[in-house]
Structures are given as structure tokens and as C-alpha cells.
Amino acid sequence: TIVLNNPRRRNALSLPMLQSLRRDLLHDVKSRELRVIVIAAEGPVFCSGHDLKELSSEDDVKHHSQIFELCAEVMTLIQKLPVPVIAKVNGLATAAGCQLVASCDIAVASEKSQFATPGVNIGLFCSTPAVALGRSLPRKVALEMLFTGEPLSAHEALMHGLISKVVPEDKLEEETMKISQKICESSKSVLALGKATFYRQITQDLDTAYKITTKVMVDNLTLRDGQEGIEAFVQKRKPVWSH
């Protein structure tokens, strides 16, 4: 579990916070023991996005570029990791914080959570959050969020596909752990192959997507755990994964 822990700054994705998040996401990534990553936060705001104090005219273009490039690297890294990444959201997620939620593989939110891209209201359109948002939400819903800055409730976010589940606040930890434990019952190598393939095929046309996934299904059968799972099913026993 990675916890965004700067509630006094509304868990803003400052340059140090982004550097720390990248470091933590990569921590033990090659360990066979690592099976799921959960991103959570302290305080009433999950993440308020970029630290606007770092985006003032006092800093130069090079500094601003460094911040946005690192943010893009972290967001894409989440989808490149070999294990599922779950956002556990309990509060407000805005701008790049909303982008972070949209970039995770799964997102579980409490009923009090809200999601917004309000940059337009301060003259900084949420163009980079729009990349993740536009790939998670229907275009017209994403654009309404981007053009107005108005928030989605947790239930609206669920309805439109930004998050996976909405639960009462007191059930958030339990539900997140339930999903995590279910993931841990499967083979890490099979999940890693499946996750990488999902993101590879999702941007392709239908024929190309089927060509990619047909080959991967065959590759999956060559994995030790691919054969173990089939043998266990036929023999009516629990599989023993080698990961």
C-alpha cells in the first residue's frame, strides 16, 4: 500500500510527491511476493492535483516541463507495472488527482468521494488529466467535466465508468482488501501477461486486437502456470502456482 501523506497540502502532486510515488511504485516490483499495489491517501482529500505554487511564473519553462513530464511518466508507469494497481479513494480527487484515479487499473471509492477537473476555472485547462479521463469516460461526460470543472459524485463516476465500485466509507478498506485478496489467488505471471496485453490491444482496431490476443493466448499456454491451471481444473484440485 502506498499512502499519499501530505494532507496539509491536500496531497498535491508536487515534484517531491511525484518522485516519491514513482520510487514507491517501482519498489520491489520484481519481487515474486508483490501481487497488488493499493494507492490510498490521508485526510479528506485523496489528491488535489499539481501544487500550483510550483507552476507560478517565478519558475521557468524547464521546471514546469519537468513536473508535467514526470507526472505523465508516473501515470503511464501504473499501466506498465506487472501487478494490478487499485486506487482506494476516500474524499476529493481533482485535476491530476482525478487523472491518478483514472490511470489505475481498478478504483474503489467511498460514497462521499468526488471527482473533478477544475483547471479551467483557474485558467489552466486540465489537458494532461484529459488523457486518462478521455480513456475512462464517454467523450461527452469527460468534456463536460473539463469544460465546466463541476465534480462528479461517486455514484455518477461509477455510472460513467471512472471507478469500479462505490461503498460506504466504513466498508472501503474491507472491499479493497477483498478485491486484492481475490487477485492474490491467481498466478502473478498470468496476470502480468494479461494486464500488459489488455493495454496493448485496447488502442488497436478490432482485427489487430484479435491478432495480438490470439498470439498471447497461445503464449499463455506455454507458461508453467498456464498448464498448471488447466491440469488442476481437469483434475478437480486447486492449482499450485509457481508465479
Side-chain angles (χ1 to χ4, degrees):
T1 301
I2 298 169
V3 181
L4 307 180
N5 192 14
N6 191 6
R8 290 180 66 183
R9 299 291 304 154
R10 296 161 62 88
N11 295 318
L13 293 177
S14 62
L15 192 57
M17 179 75 94
L18 284 167
Q19 289 166 338
S20 178
L21 182 54
R22 178 178 60 183
R23 196 163 52 243
D24 289 343
L25 285 167
L26 291 169
H27 180 69
D28 278 345
V29 74
K30 293 182 179 176
S31 167
R32 204 168 78 171
E33 302 304 310
L34 180 68
R35 311 300 304 285
V36 185
I37 295 172
V38 175
I39 300 178
E42 284 293 327
V45 176
F46 175 78
C47 179
S48 60
H50 290 290
D51 187 340
L52 296 181
K53 287 185 177 178
E54 293 184 338
L55 304 180
S56 70
S57 58
E58 292 174 14
D59 294 304
D60 59 17
V61 170
K62 186 178 177 183
H63 179 74
H64 295 160
S65 296
Q66 184 186 8
I67 292 168
F68 290 117
E69 285 167 8
L70 178 56
C71 185
E73 182 187 339
V74 168
M75 300 301 167
T76 54
L77 173 62
I78 288 170
Q79 296 181 357
K80 292 174 183 174
L81 292 170
V83 296
V85 180
I86 303 173
K88 185 175 81 169
V89 187
N90 189 29
L92 187 63
T94 62
C98 188
Q99 179 184 3
L100 179 59
V101 175
S103 298
C104 288
D105 303 310
I106 296 170
V108 185
S110 67
E111 291 172 326
K112 75 176 188 181
S113 300
Q114 289 186 305
F115 306 86
T117 48
V120 67
N121 298 329
I122 59 162
L124 183 64
F125 197 87
C126 286
S127 292
T128 44
V131 175
L133 215 63
R135 284 161 170 75
S136 296
L137 292 167
R139 183 177 300 180
K140 287 178 174 60
V141 177
L143 285 170
E144 184 180 345
M145 287 181 72
L146 291 160
F147 290 158
T148 68
E150 288 297 303
L152 290 184
S153 69
H155 287 286
E156 287 171 327
L158 175 66
M159 178 176 67
H160 294 304
L162 179 60
I163 59 176
S164 318
K165 284 197 173 182
V166 177
V167 293
E169 186 177 1
D170 61 355
K171 298 288 185 184
L172 183 59
E173 174 69 15
E174 179 186 331
E175 188 59 37
T176 306
M177 287 303 103
K178 183 178 169 186
I179 295 169
S180 300
Q181 285 159 6
K182 185 64 182 172
I183 289 168
C184 288
E185 292 175 10
S186 298
S187 160
K188 180 175 182 177
S189 53
V190 170
L191 279 176
L193 179 64
K195 175 175 171 175
T197 306
F198 178 85
Y199 287 113
R200 189 173 152 216
Q201 64 82 26
I202 199 69
T203 57
Q204 305 295 323
D205 64 79
L206 198 62
D207 288 340
T208 305
Y210 271 117
K211 281 178 185 172
I212 291 169
T213 52
T214 297
K215 183 181 182 304
V216 171
M217 292 292 284
V218 175
D219 292 342
N220 196 152
L221 288 171
T222 68
L223 292 178
R224 200 156 115 201
D225 282 348
Q227 287 302 312
E228 167 60 17
I230 291 170
E231 287 173 17
F233 179 81
V234 171
Q235 295 167 10
K236 295 183 171 56
R237 62 173 175 83
K238 282 194 75 172
V240 181
W241 304 124
S242 65
H243 304 296

